[in-house]
Amino acid sequence: MNRLAGVTSPYLLQHADNPVDWWPWGPEAFAEAERRGVPVLLSVGYSACHWCHVMAHESFEDRDTADYLNEHFVSVKVDREERPDVDAVYMEAVQAATGQGGWPMTVFLTPDAEPFYFGTYFPPVPRHGMPSFRQVLEGVQQAWSTRRDEVSEVAGKIVRDLAQREIVRQAAEAPGEQELAQALLGLTREYDAQRGGFGGAPKFPPSMALEFLLRHHARTGAEGALQMARDTCERMARGGLYDQLGGGFARYSVDRDWVVPHFEKMLYDNALLCRVYAHLWRATGSDLARRVALETADFLVRELRTEQGGFASALDADSDDGTGRHVEGAYYVWTPGQLVAALGEDDGRLAAQYFGVTDEGTFEHGRSVLQLPQTEGVFDAEKVASVRERLLSARARRPAPGRDDKVVAAWNGLAVAALAETGAYFGRPDLTEAALGAADLLVRVHLDEHGRLARTSKDGRVGANAGVLEDYADVAEGFLSLASVTGEGVWLDFAGLLLDHVLVRFADPATGGLYDTASDAEQLIRRPQDPTDNATPSGWTAAAGALLSYAAHTGSAPHRAAAERALGVVKTLGPRVPRFIGWGLAVAEALLDGPREVAVAGPALDDERTAGLHRTALLGVAPGAVVACGTPGSDEFPLLADRTLVDGAPTAYVCRGFVCDLPVTDPAALRARLASP
């Protein structure tokens, strides 16, 4: 029976035709396991996951394996991007039991949803010390049949141990100068001075730590912080992690040098990195940062925007290599011969030299990932532009990677913020319009009449899963950026609606912490709560940032107090693990700076003088500054209350805690105000 046919998850739909009798996550699956007296196989993955595809092809498409599963288990398939709460709870158990985690995640549960055996990818035959998947299934089935009391006892102990684990003891107050200085020192110790970034292979783009470094430099003038951010951004942009033809970043590099990526392209990475490079340009004027920010924004709009105006989740790592085989990276890699075939002998040799393509190759089977060595100055710029355009056209004729078309609320919120700001910084109203289109979809499709968010949608149809904390926080962040960029106060109102839910349904009033799921959400074996940043800002730190910005816009004491309480975890973790709480550190920088509140009062944004002040305000590097622009005394923004023109000219007010400096009418004077401590 095909129970996955009607779901909105492309990942689940990929498995709809498997011979495995899959169930989606829900009480019906566990009731069936109870009725039959069998355990549950929980398989968690996501659409762009390479090893998920491998295990599906090797095991879940195999009739003998499927028959065994169908006879002895109830098999439940979960898209981790639709149900991050389910993923988080069981991943915590996997990591506690095995010391590692990853996807596909394979967990065996009792009919009460209690886990008792764990793993990730299992091969079809024993390999490298790993048992085969069939051996695992037979071992679990035998244990369930012959030692069920023992299995149940183990499962109960695991659940009790998880319930007793404390995430972190957070401090009673937000971090100060000392903790942020210690965090910077910690990042410096882990910094790879030769290659940029932090730590060894695999190497992930440290988006949130980079935002902290940029904000710390803006507030303190610390050149070391700026240097780490600038050099890391340059190394990533010149390496194979970055798509040198089409723009946008792959998920991570498998090596320390940013040469060979894991080729899947995620919406969240590209939204975060687009914003980082735009902010780097804002701080330094770097031509490379400007180009990468704009190319990444264009990639988002060109390849991830859906017909409904939202942004799809990801592009797969694998694609058809032209022979019918799905191969990782096939769409992106080149041999010297392929360059010559696409460009001709002379230009093919030039492209190989320019992009570092060799006979030996930098990837598998003599193929190379395109890079940008620091030799572009010796090449003719017009010729290089022509070569890139022709190669991009040639690549477009290859079979394209699959696209996960589901719209995730949180990641679209990140994209809204990135595109709104990039459009404003670089005079690209089309990018701001794309941000508005995604924001409109979130309001129309994901937001119900009570202000509650749905996690996902697909093809304009809302999914069944409730939004989690990161959805409310990141969408609020996107709306707040739109409010600053467009001067439309309705986005501030929508952000306030979402943040009220955060205060009521996600906050822990006893500790000031935040839960990842709402108080009225489905009860799992543990209510997930994780303040650390991973590939995206944690819901906890993202909410702290949005609460702080909203308080700066409105003067709301409860929202500011909630932000300060939430930042207590950054005081605890920032000096110890700064790489894993970078966004929290960035928010703490904004708190120490104020953040500043900029009100621009003028006749209209299409007035040249008003627009000049508004753009100057947006380009200010003061950490976390908020901007309100509108007519004097407008009731759309509290910051504009009682703001008047000076001598009839558009006027800017720079404030902290609604206490303002003398108003200015000159963009240069405003720039100086925003640059001063």
Side-chain angles (χ1 to χ4, degrees):
M1 180 177 179
N2 187 346
R3 298 180 183 83
L4 303 184
V7 301
T8 57
S9 163
Y11 174 64
L12 266 60
L13 290 171
Q14 289 170 358
H15 293 270
D17 295 325
N18 290 168
V20 176
D21 185 14
W22 290 111
W23 292 69
W25 178 272
E28 297 83 3
F30 292 96
E32 176 68 6
E34 179 69 32
R35 184 187 70 80
R36 289 175 50 197
V38 298
V40 171
L41 164 71
L42 173 64
S43 177
V44 183
Y46 59 102
S47 177
C49 167
H50 171 71
W51 287 102
C52 299
H53 296 317
V54 171
M55 189 168 176
H57 177 67
E58 293 174 341
S59 296
F60 300 140
E61 295 172 12
D62 178 71
R63 170 57 66 179
D64 288 341
T65 303
D67 287 345
Y68 192 87
L69 274 169
N70 295 340
E71 180 179 356
H72 298 290
F73 299 87
V74 168
S75 300
V76 174
K77 180 60 82 169
V78 167
D79 183 339
R80 66 174 294 260
E81 296 173 349
E82 284 205 334
R83 290 302 302 264
D85 52 340
V86 172
D87 177 65
V89 164
Y90 291 103
M91 184 60 75
E92 184 180 7
V94 171
Q95 291 173 330
T98 68
Q100 58 187 3
W103 300 275
M105 177 168 61
T106 306
V107 186
F108 294 91
L109 314 175
T110 70
D112 293 324
E114 296 180 339
F116 62 88
Y117 190 78
F118 316 90
T120 52
Y121 164 79
F122 289 106
V125 295
R127 186 187 302 156
H128 306 307
M130 284 190 293
S132 71
F133 187 48
R134 181 61 178 262
Q135 287 174 325
V136 170
L137 294 178
E138 291 174 351
V140 169
Q141 196 277 329
Q142 183 180 30
W144 181 260
S145 299
T146 63
R147 305 193 306 275
R148 190 173 306 182
D149 290 345
E150 181 182 332
V151 168
S152 298
E153 183 180 344
V154 168
K157 182 178 185 305
I158 290 170
V159 171
R160 290 192 298 275
D161 288 347
L162 288 174
Q164 292 168 4
R165 293 183 76 193
E166 187 172 28
I167 295 296
V168 67
R169 283 189 178 275
Q170 68 177 63
E173 57 186 15
E177 293 277 2
Q178 180 180 352
E179 289 80 21
L180 296 181
Q182 289 174 328
L184 178 64
L185 181 61
L187 286 176
T188 303
R189 288 172 178 152
E190 296 187 65
Y191 181 63
D192 186 339
Q194 288 186 312
R195 306 167 184 86
F198 304 93
K203 217 170 207 177
F204 289 80
S207 309
M208 292 140 282
L210 293 173
E211 289 283 6
F212 162 61
L213 292 172
L214 290 172
R215 288 187 177 190
H216 189 78
H217 170 260
R219 187 179 62 83
T220 68
E223 285 300 322
L226 179 61
Q227 193 69 39
M228 284 191 284
R230 183 163 45 202
D231 289 355
T232 297
C233 284
E234 179 164 355
R235 293 284 187 168
M236 291 192 300
R238 291 186 178 279
L241 185 78
Y242 185 67
D243 183 349
Q244 303 296 342
L245 298 182
F249 291 84
R251 183 163 167 250
Y252 62 86
S253 173
V254 301
D255 57 272
R256 296 183 65 178
D257 294 294
W258 309 106
V259 175
V260 178
H262 188 42
F263 290 89
E264 59 191 349
K265 283 173 145 181
M266 312 302 294
L267 171 60
Y268 54 75
D269 282 323
N270 284 285
L272 289 165
L273 287 166
C274 177
R275 206 176 184 193
V276 166
Y277 280 86
H279 291 169
L280 177 63
W281 171 83
R282 184 175 66 176
T284 66
S286 161
D287 288 338
L288 181 141
R290 180 183 191 278
R291 176 176 65 79
V292 172
L294 286 169
E295 288 177 356
T296 303
D298 287 335
F299 158 75
L300 289 172
V301 174
R302 182 183 67 248
E303 298 193 34
L304 293 183
R305 187 160 58 170
T306 68
E307 290 184 9
Q308 294 75 32
F311 290 91
S313 296
L315 298 180
D316 283 357
D318 302 359
S319 58
D320 192 322
D321 67 353
T323 69
R325 296 183 308 129
H326 265 62
V327 177
E328 185 179 5
Y331 187 69
Y332 299 101
V333 295
W334 299 81
T335 65
Q338 289 173 325
L339 294 177
V340 169
L343 301 170
E345 190 71 34
D346 290 343
D347 286 354
R349 286 202 305 269
L350 180 148
Q353 187 179 2
Y354 184 77
F355 289 117
V357 177
T358 65
D359 290 330
E360 298 79 14
T362 57
F363 188 49
E364 301 167 345
H365 311 301
R367 299 173 297 166
S368 291
V369 184
L370 301 188
Q371 300 176 73
L372 191 62
Q374 295 195 28
T375 55
E376 67 265 34
V378 304
F379 293 89
D380 179 75
E382 289 187 12
K383 171 65 74 173
V384 167
S386 169
V387 163
R388 288 185 75 216
E389 185 176 345
R390 289 150 60 200
L391 281 180
L392 188 60
S393 296
R395 192 177 78 177
R397 294 190 287 274
R398 296 175 172 180
R403 188 173 83 164
D404 183 334
D405 279 334
K406 73 174 177 298
V407 171
V408 175
W411 307 347
N412 272 256
L414 297 174
V416 167
L419 292 171
E421 292 179 5
T422 304
Y425 295 169
F426 301 116
R428 287 282 303 275
D430 59 310
L431 298 179
T432 304
E433 284 299 317
L436 283 164
D440 179 65
L441 176 75
L442 291 169
V443 171
R444 285 187 296 105
V445 175
H446 287 246
L447 199 63
D448 71 11
E449 64 273 19
H450 305 293
R452 295 179 179 231
L453 270 177
R455 170 74 174 171
T456 61
S457 68
K458 186 177 183 295
D459 301 326
R461 181 164 65 95
V462 69
N465 298 309
V468 295
L469 178 60
E470 70 163 354
D471 295 305
Y472 285 83
D474 289 337
V475 172
E477 175 81 11
F479 288 172
L480 289 165
S481 293
L482 265 187
S484 287
V485 165
T486 64
E488 297 175 4
V490 64
W491 300 112
L492 179 63
D493 296 337
F494 278 129
L497 183 65
L498 296 175
L499 293 172
D500 284 345
H501 280 282
V502 170
L503 295 180
V504 172
R505 299 171 57 227
F506 291 89
D508 180 351
T511 67
L514 296 162
Y515 287 102
D516 293 334
T517 54
S519 54
D520 54 356
E522 177 187 352
Q523 296 286 308
L524 302 175
I525 60 170
R526 173 178 170 86
R527 189 177 180 188
Q529 183 184 46
D530 187 357
T532 58
D533 300 329
N534 197 308
T536 58
S538 70
W540 186 318
T541 60
L547 288 163
L548 184 65
S549 294
Y550 184 78
H553 263 294
T554 63
S556 168
H559 289 81
R560 184 177 178 97
E564 291 177 350
R565 287 195 301 271
L567 288 174
V569 76
V570 182
K571 184 181 179 75
T572 301
L573 294 180
R576 290 162 44 195
V577 287
R579 281 173 59 192
F580 302 104
I581 200 153
W583 189 249
L585 292 166
V587 175
E589 288 287 347
L591 180 67
L592 280 184
D593 196 65
R596 297 184 215 198
E597 308 134 2
V598 187
V600 177
L605 269 178
D606 57 7
D607 173 81
E608 184 176 341
R609 294 178 300 169
T610 304
L613 284 174
H614 180 230
R615 186 167 187 273
T616 299
L618 293 173
L619 290 176
V621 297
V626 301
V627 178
C629 185
T631 55
S634 167
D635 59 3
E636 285 197 79
F637 290 97
L639 284 173
L640 290 170
D642 302 321
R643 305 300 178 214
T644 59
L645 306 184
V646 173
D647 297 330
T651 304
Y653 297 79
V654 179
C655 317
R656 284 185 174 100
F658 278 65
V659 177
C660 303
D661 296 335
L662 290 174
V664 296
T665 58
D666 177 58
L670 175 57
R671 190 176 304 113
R673 288 277 171 83
L674 291 172
S676 63

